[in-house]
Amino acid sequence: MDTIKSKYHETLAATVIKNLEKRQMEGYYCPTVEDAEKLAFSFLKDGQTISFGGSMTLEETGMLTALRHDPSIHLIDRSTAKTPDETKKMYHDALSSDVYFMSTNAITTGGELVNIDGTGNRVAALIYGPETVVILAGMNKIAANVDEALSRVHNVATAQNCIRLDKKTPCAITGACADCLSPDCICNQVVITRRSGIKGRIKVLLIGESFGY
């Protein structure tokens, strides 16, 4: 069964990668976390400024830990901020970083990236700013089309993130999206990346496992 699943992941990833290429984004299939981490670090150069957006995938894969322990780079790490103003400055500084790490809430088989954000710093960096954007995503993030991707984000990812963040939203209570406008709503920006204006700026590393929400 594992062999069949691995072959399925490899085949599906090849389809997504082909479609990413049509949209001027680079796609890679990494069977394991170790493969993904090795590839991700191959994009980095000594002395570069690196930043990242909030991501359970980066946490679970150990990518954040690896970045935090790399002395050859300058990491803008918002977890070290001591005040709200310092956090705000780091958000702004991240937009000028050389490489920005993140995951994506969903990705379609057609190669579109679908993201919903609360603060907006993550999708802002995806859209514009950092020279390179490196996205790590488990195969569980793939959806057939934009509609299914949006449904996945609203009904799977957002509810779990609201529970994690202790948000008082309908989805945190019921597990289902209510299309709310509550004070704690984190569905503030909906961004569909259908194409990269700069060829190769966005690099998507598809990992043959499940990570994040």
Side-chain angles (χ1 to χ4, degrees):
M1 179 60 75
D2 287 344
T3 302
I4 294 173
K5 183 180 290 185
S6 296
K7 181 62 177 177
Y8 165 69
H9 283 165
E10 186 178 347
T11 302
L12 178 58
T15 298
V16 176
I17 290 167
K18 181 179 179 180
N19 289 321
L20 283 167
E21 185 177 353
K22 294 177 182 177
R23 300 174 184 277
Q24 296 208 119
M25 293 181 275
E26 294 179 4
Y28 303 86
Y29 178 62
C30 304
T32 67
V33 171
E34 291 75 19
D35 294 326
E37 185 175 309
K38 183 177 180 180
L39 179 59
F41 271 99
S42 74
F43 299 133
L44 308 185
K45 298 177 182 178
D46 289 356
Q48 284 187 318
T49 297
I50 313 299
S51 56
F52 60 90
S55 166
M56 287 305 298
T57 296
L58 295 182
E59 293 274 6
E60 292 174 1
T61 58
M63 192 69 225
L64 278 187
T65 299
L67 290 172
R68 285 168 174 150
H69 286 83
D70 185 350
S72 69
I73 62 172
H74 169 60
L75 183 66
I76 300 174
D77 188 350
R78 67 191 190 192
S79 70
T80 63
K82 296 178 175 59
T83 65
D85 284 344
E86 193 172 347
T87 298
K88 184 178 179 180
K89 183 178 185 304
M90 287 184 176
Y91 281 161
H92 288 162
D93 290 345
L95 296 176
S96 299
S97 61
D98 296 302
V99 183
Y100 190 86
F101 279 84
M102 59 177 285
S103 188
T104 184
N105 294 131
I107 177 171
T108 71
T109 54
E112 298 135 309
L113 307 178
V114 178
N115 285 282
I116 293 180
D117 221 357
T119 303
N121 61 294
R122 182 175 60 99
V123 293
L126 171 63
I127 294 169
Y128 182 81
E131 184 176 341
T132 300
V133 176
V134 178
I135 296 173
L136 273 66
M139 294 299 291
N140 55 306
K141 298 291 187 73
I142 297 177
N145 51 50
V146 170
D147 286 343
E148 287 195 14
L150 286 169
S151 177
R152 181 193 184 282
V153 181
H154 281 300
N155 294 294
V156 178
T158 301
Q160 293 182 76
N161 273 316
C162 282
I163 292 171
R164 176 176 65 89
L165 298 170
D166 195 28
K167 299 291 186 179
K168 303 301 186 286
T169 58
C171 66
I173 297 170
T174 67
C177 178
D179 194 25
C180 79
L181 295 173
S182 70
D184 273 357
C185 177
I186 64 172
C187 296
N188 297 325
Q189 290 84 27
V190 180
V191 174
I192 298 170
T193 305
R194 63 177 300 274
R195 182 178 182 270
S196 175
I198 302 173
K199 187 175 182 179
R201 175 179 175 266
I202 299 173
K203 306 179 190 302
V204 181
L205 280 56
L206 297 170
I207 308 172
E209 300 175 47
S210 293
F211 291 103
Y213 304 139

